[in-house]
Amino acid sequence: MRKDALRDKVAVVGVGCCRFGENWDQSPPDMIVDAAYEAYADAGIEDPQRQIDAVFTGSIYSQKGPHECSDALKLFGKPVTMVSNYCATGTDAFRCGVMSIAAGLYDTVLVVGYDKPKDRGVSGPSVMMNAVRDLPQTPAGWFALCAATYFEKYGASRDDLARIAIKNHHNGTLAPNSFLKREITLEDYKQARLISWPFGLYDCAAQTDGAAAVVITRADLGRSFRADPVLVKGVTVIAGPNPQKDPGNDFLSWKPTGWAAKDVYEQAGITEPRKQIQVAQVHDCFSLTELLSYEDLGFCAKGAAKEDIRAGSFELGGELPVNTDGGLKSFGHPTGATGVRMIYENVLQLQGRAEKRQVPNVELALSHNIGGHPTACGIAILGK
Amino acid sequence: MSAPGIQSYGAYVPPTRLALGAIGGRPAKEGGPERAVAWNDEDAVTMAATAAVNCLRGFDRDAVDALFFASTTYPFREKQGAAFLAKALDLRRDLRTADFSGSLRAGLDALRAAADAVAAGSARRVLVVASDCRLGAPGSGLERSGGDGAAAFLLGAGDAIATLEAFHGVSDELLDVWRGEGDRFVHSWEERFVIQEGYQPRLVQAVQGLLERCGARAGDFARVALYAPDDRSHDGVARALKLDRGALVPPLFGRLGNAGCAFAPLLLASALEQAKPGERILVAGYGDGAAACALAVTDHVEKLEPRRGVAWHLARRRPVKSYDRYLKARSLEVGEWTPGSDPGLSATIHFRERDEDVSFRGQRCRRCRAVQFPNQRVCESCYAKDDFEPLRLSDRVGKVVTYTFDFFFPTPDPPTIVTVTEIEGARIHLQLVNAAPEQVKLGLPVELELRRIHQVGGRPNYYWKGTPVPEEPASA
């Protein structure tokens, strides 16, 4: 593949994000409209019918295909595509939009990620049982499978996971669109009920509804929309084997993250991620997922995450702040929306618009999703 | 041709035990009388599968010509249990299968039919499995006296540990206990009628008829295994037959309970565990009449590798923590939701995946020898296409690669222990049963048992679960 095919070819010129939460009074189209119109306004788009050439949308709960989005926005007579790739869905929809512009098909594209899990009448994650071995446990159970092995080999513990949860809860209090705006203490963490060992309640992302949208355009058209367009440096989505049956899996990391990081760093020309990247939104569906990702994204050596956690390296004010808006922990995880919501936060950080969460001098920002069992990883890198 | 005989046996008793003192919600005390209860992922079929696995240990499964399955609590009205069991045991396809049902003596009836088939030469080896869950209505006598369990016997000509010398049976019409279409619980007539007119005289008649047929006296039998509805009526029959108390096989009330049509077979298995060469055994069962059988123990009994039998299972206990959990496990509690009416598992997917899901068969790549599960078209190790041979994994021992304790998975007794277990190199996502969280560790050796995985579609859906490899022998 050509590693330079995407770099600096596409600009993000508008972002929007609805309030994430248990949006009982909002339908998916309501949230799509909120997010998309905020992105239009951010890009200075006044006539989307004329200015948007194509739409890429991502959702995993919707049974209605791309029509749900095009009907909500009344964007007809143009191509609309729906992407589904578990938790990497939002990042993948963004990637498809970026590729379509880099390929020269369209000038300006709208990307919308959304999901509405709270219409199912289930308070926790779904336990779907369609076959006898499809899902012998819950999502917390899939992602907990690295804990026993990792703790034994590297000596990390629930205390390290707690620091991640406490950090993300704190950051969430600073983000206007977050769902949970509540600090927690180590004591709260330890008192919470267990969901799937070692995960207690505070290790798990909430279930919420949400939508986020971005407007992207040809890099050379970026300044015609706004003065500070953000450039796409690289974006990738990489598939991996089912870790539960992969005979080569050591249960110390989730393979697709390492593969995706290698690919996207080559695209973006990054050789020392910890030094070159100033802010990262990392998939924290469960606290341990964030911990493993520090290592698999090359922010620190394998097994060394606990030292950085204890040193506060990834907190606001630390060396490389992670999940500055509180992450999935505070926003919840409307699956299709999450990757786009992370891009929204990184664009604000790059443009100096992140208010109390602002990280100084951001040149490069990374967002990362991992989904499935987990079986797919998406990473996007944005810069100036 | 030599006389038909039992070549091997095995049993299964659920380790979950309900203290009789806890019934009604009182605090459960250790050490008092109890009964075995199948847990929420168990039923007559899963118990039968494990008893059969225990019976077949060390025997060639391909040599089995027929499988007879006896149960009054098999969950399907139309759909054969024996055919399912044959598939779960990965037996030959050109096998004869039949279900024996409708009566508490179905277990002995199946044993007799198997002996006849062997004697007639129409089958060289027949596997007989009897299994029942005796579910009593909350508060009923049967809730206290019933028990759940299964016993399996491999019958053949030659190499018998006990030859089947003679059978005698009587058939009768009597409305003493019954369960009609749509009834969840057993009904019975007045207890004095049931015992005095039904059970006691008929069991005595069957035993006396058997003694006449063999020209033997009761005292000739070193071990006598008698079916009984409860302890007191067991004593009554023993007195009527003037049996030596030392010869009576303990009927296990207060430990296992009356396991329906598997009860007499379980007592026979219990007798075989203790039997010495040259001894004679008498076993009698009741239900719509009565049936009795005489056996002669041979020298082979000492050569058979130790079996996981009744004593082995009784020694392996996991007391139920509360009556409330028992009610949940057997779906006896009143809840907010009625069982879903969704169509459940796709029948075509079940059909396509029967080798993996029911037989627990994986595959081995002919090119690189890597074992994988479930079956793939393209080898995940060397990428060869469609070049595999089947490999049964249900009788292998694996080891835990990683685990978690899932408190969110729906179960009456959280947490659910979930593992990735490596079996012959294949990584398999498995729930672990018969274990407490504190026992679970990386590298734990695990064997497999057939269980219910869930009830989607209102049907029992079966799959395999891991269980820690027990230390052998635990007792007996």
Side-chain angles (χ1 to χ4, degrees):
Chain A
M1 84 171 261
R2 279 179 44 211
K3 293 288 183 186
D4 61 347
L6 300 179
R7 187 172 170 185
D8 294 334
K9 302 286 197 300
V10 178
V12 183
V13 292
V15 293
C17 181
C18 82
R19 175 85 192 258
F20 280 37
E22 291 167 329
N23 295 339
W24 310 123
D25 56 352
Q26 283 202 303
S27 67
D30 290 332
M31 299 189 300
I32 290 167
V33 169
D34 282 357
Y37 276 73
E38 186 187 342
Y40 294 161
D42 201 42
I45 286 178
E46 290 172 353
D47 185 0
Q49 299 293 340
R50 184 178 58 78
Q51 291 173 275
I52 300 292
D53 300 327
V55 181
F56 289 87
T57 178
S59 164
I60 67 162
Y61 290 94
S62 171
Q63 301 294 312
K64 296 177 180 166
H67 174 74
E68 188 161 56
C69 183
S70 56
D71 188 50
L73 299 171
K74 302 298 179 283
L75 289 174
F76 303 126
K78 52 190 83 211
V80 183
T81 303
M82 175 164 270
V83 175
S84 175
N85 198 344
Y86 284 109
C87 307
T89 296
T91 302
D92 212 352
F94 179 74
R95 182 180 70 107
C96 292
V98 167
M99 290 191 299
S100 73
I101 292 172
L105 264 89
Y106 314 118
D107 289 342
T108 304
V109 163
L110 176 70
V111 177
V112 179
Y114 71 97
D115 257 315
K116 180 117 186 90
K118 299 303 294 186
D119 274 354
R120 299 168 305 137
V122 182
S123 63
S126 50
V127 182
M128 292 168 287
M129 294 192 277
N130 303 320
V132 295
R133 64 181 137 78
D134 258 10
L135 192 55
Q137 58 175 347
T138 59
W142 307 339
F143 281 89
L145 288 174
C146 278
T149 35
Y150 186 93
F151 288 179
E152 178 153 303
K153 176 136 188 189
Y154 295 119
S157 70
R158 289 196 77 210
D159 282 358
D160 300 304
L161 301 183
R163 285 170 199 262
I164 293 173
I166 292 166
K167 164 182 78 73
N168 289 345
H169 267 274
H170 169 72
N171 294 355
T173 65
L174 307 175
N177 290 325
S178 69
F179 170 55
L180 298 174
K181 289 186 170 63
R182 185 160 88 80
E183 304 274 0
I184 61 159
T185 64
L186 184 61
E187 196 55 27
D188 295 332
Y189 177 91
K190 287 184 169 165
Q191 295 288 324
R193 70 185 171 113
L194 273 179
I195 301 296
S196 194
W197 180 91
F199 299 155
L201 185 64
Y202 293 116
D203 291 289
C204 305
Q207 283 272 302
T208 55
D209 307 322
V214 299
V215 175
I216 52 180
T217 191
R218 270 168 36 200
D220 59 306
L221 299 177
R223 284 182 199 281
S224 68
F225 289 90
R226 59 180 298 146
D228 55 355
V230 161
L231 292 173
V232 178
K233 300 292 177 180
V235 58
T236 189
V237 173
I238 298 281
N242 179 340
Q244 294 146 19
K245 68 184 181 72
D246 171 12
N249 188 13
D250 57 11
F251 288 97
L252 301 172
S253 66
W254 301 120
K255 281 182 181 173
T257 295
W259 293 336
K262 181 173 186 301
D263 178 27
V264 81
Y265 290 160
E266 283 174 15
Q267 288 185 37
I270 291 173
T271 51
E272 292 181 280
R274 175 144 181 171
K275 290 197 179 127
Q276 291 172 269
I277 295 167
Q278 288 77 41
V279 65
Q281 315 304 328
V282 166
H283 201 78
D284 63 315
C285 52
F286 302 97
S287 53
L288 180 66
T289 317
E290 180 171 327
L291 182 151
L292 297 175
S293 301
Y294 296 151
E295 300 172 354
D296 300 332
L297 290 168
F299 296 171
C300 61
K302 192 82 235 161
K306 60 182 184 298
E307 279 80 35
D308 269 312
I309 292 168
R310 291 167 196 173
S313 307
F314 305 122
E315 295 172 13
L316 278 175
E319 195 183 329
L320 171 48
V322 171
N323 291 332
T324 45
D325 63 359
L328 282 69
K329 173 73 265 191
S330 294
F331 271 77
H333 185 28
T335 320
T338 293
V340 184
R341 186 266 302 160
M342 290 175 161
I343 288 167
Y344 169 90
E345 173 71 4
N346 277 345
V347 167
L348 297 188
Q349 290 284 356
L350 280 157
Q351 294 173 333
R353 299 197 283 157
E355 300 173 344
K356 291 180 188 162
R357 327 183 290 286
Q358 184 64 49
V359 175
N361 307 317
V362 179
E363 294 292 322
L364 283 176
L366 174 146
S367 59
H368 158 263
N369 297 129
I370 184 154
H373 305 89
T375 40
C377 176
I379 303 179
I381 294 183
L382 305 181
K384 286 181 175 168
Chain B
M1 173 170 293
S2 47
I6 293 172
Q7 295 175 332
S8 178
Y9 65 93
Y12 179 77
V13 180
T16 31
R17 307 291 156 75
L18 176 65
L20 301 187
I23 288 175
R26 289 179 294 278
K29 260 183 265 155
E30 260 302 287
E34 61 187 19
R35 60 163 290 180
V37 291
W39 209 235
N40 72 313
D41 60 353
E42 297 188 292
D43 63 16
V45 184
T46 67
M47 296 193 302
T50 306
V53 167
N54 290 338
C55 174
L56 290 172
R57 217 172 277 265
F59 288 81
D60 178 12
R61 296 192 192 186
D62 285 343
V64 176
D65 297 318
L67 193 166
F68 295 163
F69 174 48
S71 178
T72 69
T73 47
Y74 173 57
F76 289 90
R77 167 130 311 212
E78 179 176 335
K79 187 179 174 337
Q80 198 186 53
F84 178 84
L85 273 178
K87 184 67 186 161
L89 297 169
D90 206 12
L91 301 182
R92 276 186 0 240
R93 273 200 65 203
D94 62 338
L95 178 91
R96 184 156 31 123
T97 56
D99 281 2
F100 289 71
S101 189
S103 173
L104 292 179
R105 69 175 150 86
L108 289 189
D109 290 344
L111 197 69
R112 186 172 189 175
D116 287 348
V118 171
S122 69
R124 289 180 48 229
R125 270 186 171 162
V126 185
L127 181 64
V128 178
V129 195
S131 180
D132 254 342
C133 290
R134 291 301 268 176
L135 184 70
S140 69
L142 185 61
E143 186 181 40
R144 305 174 64 84
S145 63
D148 302 338
F153 303 94
L154 186 64
L155 269 63
D159 297 332
I161 59 166
T163 55
L164 295 155
E165 290 186 303
F167 283 89
H168 182 74
V170 291
S171 177
D172 256 321
E173 162 56 22
L174 195 75
L175 205 54
D176 54 349
V177 289
W178 70 95
R179 192 152 43 93
E181 177 88 47
D183 285 341
R184 188 157 184 214
F185 303 110
V186 173
H187 298 284
S188 60
W189 205 252
E190 184 188 351
E191 191 187 349
R192 292 172 60 80
F193 171 74
V194 170
I195 302 298
Q196 290 175 11
E197 194 55 47
Y199 167 70
Q200 189 162 322
R202 279 153 232 270
L203 202 76
V204 168
Q205 273 171 25
V207 171
Q208 285 171 341
L210 180 75
L211 294 177
E212 273 172 40
R213 189 170 287 213
C214 336
R217 291 173 302 114
D220 296 341
F221 291 87
R223 299 176 192 279
V224 180
L226 299 177
Y227 172 96
D230 55 62
D231 232 342
R232 220 177 68 185
S233 43
H234 183 264
D235 284 353
V237 166
R239 272 198 308 275
L241 287 167
K242 299 191 172 58
L243 291 172
D244 175 10
R245 298 201 70 79
L248 285 172
V249 176
L252 306 174
F253 288 105
R255 300 190 69 197
L256 192 164
N258 177 330
C261 85
F263 193 31
L266 276 162
L267 296 179
L268 172 58
S270 180
L272 288 169
E273 285 165 35
Q274 310 283 332
K276 310 274 185 306
E279 285 181 353
R280 292 172 87 185
I281 298 175
L282 188 155
V283 55
Y286 174 75
D288 307 281
C293 170
L295 300 95
V297 181
T298 75
D299 294 342
H300 280 283
V301 77
E302 293 183 329
K303 293 183 205 146
L304 184 66
E305 290 285 312
R307 301 281 95 182
R308 291 184 185 179
V310 176
W312 190 94
H313 281 94
L314 287 176
R316 183 172 177 246
R317 296 171 61 252
R318 287 174 56 74
V320 177
K321 292 191 185 102
S322 70
Y323 185 60
D324 190 50
R325 291 194 184 198
Y326 160 76
L327 293 178
K328 279 198 175 72
R330 301 313 302 168
S331 300
L332 291 165
E333 91 283 25
V334 179
E336 179 184 1
W337 302 105
T338 51
S341 55
D342 63 292
L345 297 193
S346 159
T348 49
I349 294 175
H350 174 72
F351 170 73
R352 287 197 297 275
E353 298 183 345
R354 64 198 184 282
D355 285 346
E356 290 110 309
D357 296 348
V358 185
S359 303
F360 210 60
R361 233 196 247 167
Q363 62 185 9
R364 177 156 39 207
C365 177
R366 287 203 180 89
R367 200 180 315 163
C368 75
R369 312 304 291 162
V371 175
Q372 30 222 298
F373 180 96
N375 294 343
Q376 312 291 312
R377 295 286 305 276
V378 176
C379 173
E380 57 195 6
S381 174
C382 74
Y383 310 122
K385 180 170 166 292
D386 292 329
D387 196 11
F388 298 98
E389 61 199 19
L391 179 69
R392 183 168 65 228
L393 298 174
S394 64
D395 54 357
R396 307 297 166 109
V397 171
K399 66 175 201 309
V400 169
V401 175
T402 186
Y403 59 84
T404 182
F405 310 121
D406 196 327
F407 290 81
F408 219 80
F409 188 83
T411 164
D413 206 14
T416 298
I417 303 172
V418 185
T419 73
V420 170
T421 292
E422 185 167 299
I423 304 171
E424 299 289 316
R427 297 283 183 88
I428 305 177
H429 205 195
L430 280 181
Q431 291 185 8
L432 193 71
V433 293
N434 293 328
E438 53 273 18
Q439 285 172 264
V440 183
K441 57 181 198 297
L442 301 181
L444 181 76
V446 160
E447 56 188 33
L448 292 138
E449 279 187 20
L450 184 76
R451 293 293 180 117
R452 286 182 173 200
I453 195 86
H454 54 61
Q455 304 261 37
V456 168
R459 293 196 297 271
N461 297 300
Y462 298 99
Y463 188 51
W464 295 79
K465 295 188 181 183
T467 175
V469 174
E471 288 172 26
E472 300 268 7
S475 65

